[in-house]
PDB file of all heavy atoms in Angstrom:
ATOM      1  N   GLY A  22      92.398 121.525  83.646  1.00  0.00           N
ATOM      2  CA  GLY A  22      93.164 120.889  82.625  1.00  0.00           C
ATOM      3  C   GLY A  22      94.227 121.727  82.011  1.00  0.00           C
ATOM      4  O   GLY A  22      94.888 121.312  81.036  1.00  0.00           O
ATOM      5  N   PHE A  23      94.472 122.940  82.549  1.00  0.00           N
ATOM      6  CA  PHE A  23      95.486 123.852  82.035  1.00  0.00           C
ATOM      7  C   PHE A  23      96.660 123.901  83.020  1.00  0.00           C
ATOM      8  O   PHE A  23      96.496 123.658  84.185  1.00  0.00           O
ATOM      9  CB  PHE A  23      94.888 125.254  81.822  1.00  0.00           C
ATOM     10  CG  PHE A  23      93.789 125.323  80.808  1.00  0.00           C
ATOM     11  CD1 PHE A  23      92.475 125.457  81.223  1.00  0.00           C
ATOM     12  CD2 PHE A  23      94.067 125.189  79.476  1.00  0.00           C
ATOM     13  CE1 PHE A  23      91.450 125.502  80.320  1.00  0.00           C
ATOM     14  CE2 PHE A  23      93.045 125.239  78.527  1.00  0.00           C
ATOM     15  CZ  PHE A  23      91.725 125.360  78.958  1.00  0.00           C
ATOM     16  N   THR A  24      97.817 124.245  82.476  1.00  0.00           N
ATOM     17  CA  THR A  24      98.988 124.357  83.323  1.00  0.00           C
ATOM     18  C   THR A  24      98.942 125.660  84.142  1.00  0.00           C
ATOM     19  O   THR A  24      98.184 126.561  83.835  1.00  0.00           O
ATOM     20  CB  THR A  24     100.280 124.337  82.510  1.00  0.00           C
ATOM     21  OG1 THR A  24     100.347 125.560  81.708  1.00  0.00           O
ATOM     22  CG2 THR A  24     100.348 123.120  81.577  1.00  0.00           C
ATOM     23  N   VAL A  25      99.799 125.700  85.144  1.00  0.00           N
ATOM     24  CA  VAL A  25      99.857 126.929  85.972  1.00  0.00           C
ATOM     25  C   VAL A  25     100.177 128.127  85.120  1.00  0.00           C
ATOM     26  O   VAL A  25      99.567 129.202  85.250  1.00  0.00           O
ATOM     27  CB  VAL A  25     100.880 126.767  87.099  1.00  0.00           C
ATOM     28  CG1 VAL A  25     101.152 128.103  87.830  1.00  0.00           C
ATOM     29  CG2 VAL A  25     100.452 125.704  88.101  1.00  0.00           C
ATOM     30  N   GLN A  26     101.143 127.994  84.212  1.00  0.00           N
ATOM     31  CA  GLN A  26     101.535 129.115  83.365  1.00  0.00           C
ATOM     32  C   GLN A  26     100.408 129.534  82.399  1.00  0.00           C
ATOM     33  O   GLN A  26     100.192 130.721  82.197  1.00  0.00           O
ATOM     34  CB  GLN A  26     102.793 128.796  82.564  1.00  0.00           C
ATOM     35  CG  GLN A  26     103.402 129.990  81.839  1.00  0.00           C
ATOM     36  CD  GLN A  26     103.754 131.106  82.815  1.00  0.00           C
ATOM     37  OE1 GLN A  26     104.442 130.901  83.819  1.00  0.00           O
ATOM     38  NE2 GLN A  26     103.301 132.332  82.514  1.00  0.00           N
ATOM     39  N   GLU A  27      99.672 128.569  81.861  1.00  0.00           N
ATOM     40  CA  GLU A  27      98.559 128.895  80.970  1.00  0.00           C
ATOM     41  C   GLU A  27      97.449 129.639  81.748  1.00  0.00           C
ATOM     42  O   GLU A  27      96.829 130.534  81.222  1.00  0.00           O
ATOM     43  CB  GLU A  27      98.002 127.600  80.387  1.00  0.00           C
ATOM     44  CG  GLU A  27      98.919 127.012  79.293  1.00  0.00           C
ATOM     45  CD  GLU A  27      98.460 125.605  78.856  1.00  0.00           C
ATOM     46  OE1 GLU A  27      97.707 124.963  79.610  1.00  0.00           O
ATOM     47  OE2 GLU A  27      98.887 125.211  77.747  1.00  0.00           O
ATOM     48  N   ILE A  28      97.255 129.243  82.977  1.00  0.00           N
ATOM     49  CA  ILE A  28      96.231 129.918  83.819  1.00  0.00           C
ATOM     50  C   ILE A  28      96.676 131.341  84.115  1.00  0.00           C
ATOM     51  O   ILE A  28      95.872 132.285  83.994  1.00  0.00           O
ATOM     52  CB  ILE A  28      96.018 129.116  85.121  1.00  0.00           C
ATOM     53  CG1 ILE A  28      95.353 127.777  84.813  1.00  0.00           C
ATOM     54  CG2 ILE A  28      95.184 129.922  86.119  1.00  0.00           C
ATOM     55  CD1 ILE A  28      95.260 126.837  86.016  1.00  0.00           C
ATOM     56  N   LYS A  29      97.957 131.513  84.477  1.00  0.00           N
ATOM     57  CA  LYS A  29      98.463 132.864  84.731  1.00  0.00           C
ATOM     58  C   LYS A  29      98.373 133.746  83.509  1.00  0.00           C
ATOM     59  O   LYS A  29      97.974 134.914  83.587  1.00  0.00           O
ATOM     60  CB  LYS A  29      99.913 132.804  85.215  1.00  0.00           C
ATOM     61  CG  LYS A  29     100.089 132.305  86.642  1.00  0.00           C
ATOM     62  CD  LYS A  29     101.562 132.360  87.031  1.00  0.00           C
ATOM     63  CE  LYS A  29     101.793 131.939  88.468  1.00  0.00           C
ATOM     64  NZ  LYS A  29     103.205 132.016  88.879  1.00  0.00           N
ATOM     65  N   ASP A  30      98.721 133.201  82.342  1.00  0.00           N
ATOM     66  CA  ASP A  30      98.688 133.977  81.085  1.00  0.00           C
ATOM     67  C   ASP A  30      97.265 134.394  80.779  1.00  0.00           C
ATOM     68  O   ASP A  30      97.024 135.561  80.351  1.00  0.00           O
ATOM     69  CB  ASP A  30      99.225 133.139  79.916  1.00  0.00           C
ATOM     70  CG  ASP A  30     100.750 132.925  80.030  1.00  0.00           C
ATOM     71  OD1 ASP A  30     101.395 133.671  80.786  1.00  0.00           O
ATOM     72  OD2 ASP A  30     101.263 132.021  79.341  1.00  0.00           O
ATOM     73  N   ALA A  31      96.296 133.506  81.001  1.00  0.00           N
ATOM     74  CA  ALA A  31      94.891 133.850  80.724  1.00  0.00           C
ATOM     75  C   ALA A  31      94.409 134.915  81.669  1.00  0.00           C
ATOM     76  O   ALA A  31      93.750 135.889  81.266  1.00  0.00           O
ATOM     77  CB  ALA A  31      94.017 132.592  80.845  1.00  0.00           C
ATOM     78  N   PHE A  32      94.699 134.769  82.950  1.00  0.00           N
ATOM     79  CA  PHE A  32      94.283 135.778  83.931  1.00  0.00           C
ATOM     80  C   PHE A  32      94.927 137.118  83.639  1.00  0.00           C
ATOM     81  O   PHE A  32      94.236 138.156  83.687  1.00  0.00           O
ATOM     82  CB  PHE A  32      94.655 135.298  85.335  1.00  0.00           C
ATOM     83  CG  PHE A  32      94.255 136.259  86.423  1.00  0.00           C
ATOM     84  CD1 PHE A  32      92.921 136.301  86.872  1.00  0.00           C
ATOM     85  CD2 PHE A  32      95.175 137.116  86.999  1.00  0.00           C
ATOM     86  CE1 PHE A  32      92.540 137.215  87.865  1.00  0.00           C
ATOM     87  CE2 PHE A  32      94.780 138.026  87.998  1.00  0.00           C
ATOM     88  CZ  PHE A  32      93.465 138.051  88.409  1.00  0.00           C
ATOM     89  N   ASP A  33      96.202 137.124  83.343  1.00  0.00           N
ATOM     90  CA  ASP A  33      96.914 138.364  83.056  1.00  0.00           C
ATOM     91  C   ASP A  33      96.330 139.050  81.820  1.00  0.00           C
ATOM     92  O   ASP A  33      96.192 140.272  81.761  1.00  0.00           O
ATOM     93  CB  ASP A  33      98.414 138.105  82.846  1.00  0.00           C
ATOM     94  CG  ASP A  33      99.142 137.766  84.125  1.00  0.00           C
ATOM     95  OD1 ASP A  33      98.566 138.024  85.215  1.00  0.00           O
ATOM     96  OD2 ASP A  33     100.264 137.241  84.075  1.00  0.00           O
ATOM     97  N   GLY A  34      95.986 138.236  80.818  1.00  0.00           N
ATOM     98  CA  GLY A  34      95.410 138.799  79.607  1.00  0.00           C
ATOM     99  C   GLY A  34      94.073 139.472  79.855  1.00  0.00           C
ATOM    100  O   GLY A  34      93.825 140.577  79.373  1.00  0.00           O
ATOM    101  N   VAL A  35      93.233 138.847  80.675  1.00  0.00           N
ATOM    102  CA  VAL A  35      91.931 139.409  80.997  1.00  0.00           C
ATOM    103  C   VAL A  35      92.105 140.685  81.793  1.00  0.00           C
ATOM    104  O   VAL A  35      91.456 141.716  81.542  1.00  0.00           O
ATOM    105  CB  VAL A  35      91.086 138.399  81.787  1.00  0.00           C
ATOM    106  CG1 VAL A  35      89.836 139.063  82.378  1.00  0.00           C
ATOM    107  CG2 VAL A  35      90.688 137.233  80.877  1.00  0.00           C
ATOM    108  N   MET A  36      92.989 140.670  82.791  1.00  0.00           N
ATOM    109  CA  MET A  36      93.163 141.839  83.648  1.00  0.00           C
ATOM    110  C   MET A  36      93.822 142.983  82.901  1.00  0.00           C
ATOM    111  O   MET A  36      93.508 144.160  83.142  1.00  0.00           O
ATOM    112  CB  MET A  36      93.971 141.485  84.898  1.00  0.00           C
ATOM    113  CG  MET A  36      93.282 140.497  85.815  1.00  0.00           C
ATOM    114  SD  MET A  36      91.617 141.057  86.316  1.00  0.00           S
ATOM    115  CE  MET A  36      92.024 142.494  87.344  1.00  0.00           C
ATOM    116  N   ASP A  37      94.750 142.676  81.999  1.00  0.00           N
ATOM    117  CA  ASP A  37      95.374 143.746  81.175  1.00  0.00           C
ATOM    118  C   ASP A  37      94.329 144.418  80.321  1.00  0.00           C
ATOM    119  O   ASP A  37      94.361 145.643  80.102  1.00  0.00           O
ATOM    120  CB  ASP A  37      96.476 143.150  80.291  1.00  0.00           C
ATOM    121  CG  ASP A  37      97.737 142.831  81.076  1.00  0.00           C
ATOM    122  OD1 ASP A  37      97.872 143.336  82.214  1.00  0.00           O
ATOM    123  OD2 ASP A  37      98.579 142.060  80.574  1.00  0.00           O
ATOM    124  N   PHE A  38      93.369 143.652  79.808  1.00  0.00           N
ATOM    125  CA  PHE A  38      92.271 144.192  79.045  1.00  0.00           C
ATOM    126  C   PHE A  38      91.356 145.062  79.903  1.00  0.00           C
ATOM    127  O   PHE A  38      91.007 146.186  79.533  1.00  0.00           O
ATOM    128  CB  PHE A  38      91.450 143.063  78.401  1.00  0.00           C
ATOM    129  CG  PHE A  38      90.180 143.486  77.799  1.00  0.00           C
ATOM    130  CD1 PHE A  38      90.142 144.128  76.552  1.00  0.00           C
ATOM    131  CD2 PHE A  38      88.966 143.275  78.449  1.00  0.00           C
ATOM    132  CE1 PHE A  38      88.946 144.504  75.972  1.00  0.00           C
ATOM    133  CE2 PHE A  38      87.753 143.675  77.879  1.00  0.00           C
ATOM    134  CZ  PHE A  38      87.750 144.306  76.625  1.00  0.00           C
ATOM    135  N   CYS A  39      91.007 144.559  81.077  1.00  0.00           N
ATOM    136  CA  CYS A  39      90.070 145.259  81.943  1.00  0.00           C
ATOM    137  C   CYS A  39      90.672 146.536  82.551  1.00  0.00           C
ATOM    138  O   CYS A  39      89.945 147.540  82.680  1.00  0.00           O
ATOM    139  CB  CYS A  39      89.606 144.342  83.081  1.00  0.00           C
ATOM    140  SG  CYS A  39      88.507 142.986  82.555  1.00  0.00           S
ATOM    141  N   LEU A  40      91.922 146.484  82.905  1.00  0.00           N
ATOM    142  CA  LEU A  40      92.527 147.627  83.581  1.00  0.00           C
ATOM    143  C   LEU A  40      93.244 148.599  82.657  1.00  0.00           C
ATOM    144  O   LEU A  40      93.155 149.811  82.833  1.00  0.00           O
ATOM    145  CB  LEU A  40      93.538 147.134  84.648  1.00  0.00           C
ATOM    146  CG  LEU A  40      92.935 146.364  85.846  1.00  0.00           C
ATOM    147  CD1 LEU A  40      94.059 145.794  86.685  1.00  0.00           C
ATOM    148  CD2 LEU A  40      92.070 147.269  86.665  1.00  0.00           C
ATOM    149  N   TRP A  41      93.946 148.030  81.672  1.00  0.00           N
ATOM    150  CA  TRP A  41      94.846 148.907  80.868  1.00  0.00           C
ATOM    151  C   TRP A  41      94.461 148.986  79.411  1.00  0.00           C
ATOM    152  O   TRP A  41      95.223 149.466  78.597  1.00  0.00           O
ATOM    153  CB  TRP A  41      96.273 148.415  81.001  1.00  0.00           C
ATOM    154  CG  TRP A  41      96.646 148.064  82.428  1.00  0.00           C
ATOM    155  CD1 TRP A  41      97.112 146.879  82.880  1.00  0.00           C
ATOM    156  CD2 TRP A  41      96.562 148.926  83.592  1.00  0.00           C
ATOM    157  NE1 TRP A  41      97.347 146.918  84.226  1.00  0.00           N
ATOM    158  CE2 TRP A  41      96.993 148.154  84.703  1.00  0.00           C
ATOM    159  CE3 TRP A  41      96.157 150.229  83.805  1.00  0.00           C
ATOM    160  CZ2 TRP A  41      97.038 148.682  86.001  1.00  0.00           C
ATOM    161  CZ3 TRP A  41      96.156 150.742  85.103  1.00  0.00           C
ATOM    162  CH2 TRP A  41      96.627 149.993  86.157  1.00  0.00           C
ATOM    163  N   ASP A  42      93.271 148.437  79.061  1.00  0.00           N
ATOM    164  CA  ASP A  42      92.730 148.569  77.688  1.00  0.00           C
ATOM    165  C   ASP A  42      93.616 147.894  76.654  1.00  0.00           C
ATOM    166  O   ASP A  42      93.686 148.356  75.506  1.00  0.00           O
ATOM    167  CB  ASP A  42      92.496 150.022  77.348  1.00  0.00           C
ATOM    168  CG  ASP A  42      91.527 150.191  76.179  1.00  0.00           C
ATOM    169  OD1 ASP A  42      90.707 149.285  75.972  1.00  0.00           O
ATOM    170  OD2 ASP A  42      91.578 151.225  75.491  1.00  0.00           O
ATOM    171  N   LYS A  43      94.278 146.839  77.017  1.00  0.00           N
ATOM    172  CA  LYS A  43      95.064 146.077  76.056  1.00  0.00           C
ATOM    173  C   LYS A  43      94.141 145.140  75.288  1.00  0.00           C
ATOM    174  O   LYS A  43      93.014 144.862  75.712  1.00  0.00           O
ATOM    175  CB  LYS A  43      96.174 145.295  76.750  1.00  0.00           C
ATOM    176  CG  LYS A  43      97.265 146.186  77.372  1.00  0.00           C
ATOM    177  CD  LYS A  43      98.391 145.346  77.900  1.00  0.00           C
ATOM    178  CE  LYS A  43      99.510 146.215  78.480  1.00  0.00           C
ATOM    179  NZ  LYS A  43     100.643 145.426  79.006  1.00  0.00           N
ATOM    180  N   PRO A  44      94.560 144.640  74.097  1.00  0.00           N
ATOM    181  CA  PRO A  44      93.725 143.729  73.345  1.00  0.00           C
ATOM    182  C   PRO A  44      93.296 142.516  74.178  1.00  0.00           C
ATOM    183  O   PRO A  44      94.110 141.979  74.920  1.00  0.00           O
ATOM    184  CB  PRO A  44      94.598 143.323  72.168  1.00  0.00           C
ATOM    185  CG  PRO A  44      95.577 144.461  72.014  1.00  0.00           C
ATOM    186  CD  PRO A  44      95.835 144.971  73.419  1.00  0.00           C
ATOM    187  N   PHE A  45      92.042 142.124  74.008  1.00  0.00           N
ATOM    188  CA  PHE A  45      91.538 141.001  74.788  1.00  0.00           C
ATOM    189  C   PHE A  45      92.179 139.716  74.366  1.00  0.00           C
ATOM    190  O   PHE A  45      92.217 139.387  73.174  1.00  0.00           O
ATOM    191  CB  PHE A  45      90.021 140.891  74.670  1.00  0.00           C
ATOM    192  CG  PHE A  45      89.423 139.837  75.543  1.00  0.00           C
ATOM    193  CD1 PHE A  45      89.218 140.080  76.897  1.00  0.00           C
ATOM    194  CD2 PHE A  45      89.067 138.597  75.025  1.00  0.00           C
ATOM    195  CE1 PHE A  45      88.678 139.094  77.712  1.00  0.00           C
ATOM    196  CE2 PHE A  45      88.524 137.619  75.834  1.00  0.00           C
ATOM    197  CZ  PHE A  45      88.307 137.875  77.169  1.00  0.00           C
TER     198      PHE A  45
END
């Protein structure tokens, strides 16, 4: 039920947190 961009933003946010210690 999410758009392609919303999905990309969510995935990027999670991976930025996991790899580069950015805010979750």
Side-chain angles (χ1 to χ4, degrees):
F23 298 105
T24 67
V25 170
Q26 190 58 51
E27 287 171 339
I28 292 171
K29 286 184 177 181
D30 289 343
F32 180 79
D33 288 345
V35 169
M36 295 306 293
D37 285 343
F38 169 77
C39 289
L40 293 173
W41 317 124
D42 199 25
K43 292 186 178 180
F45 185 79

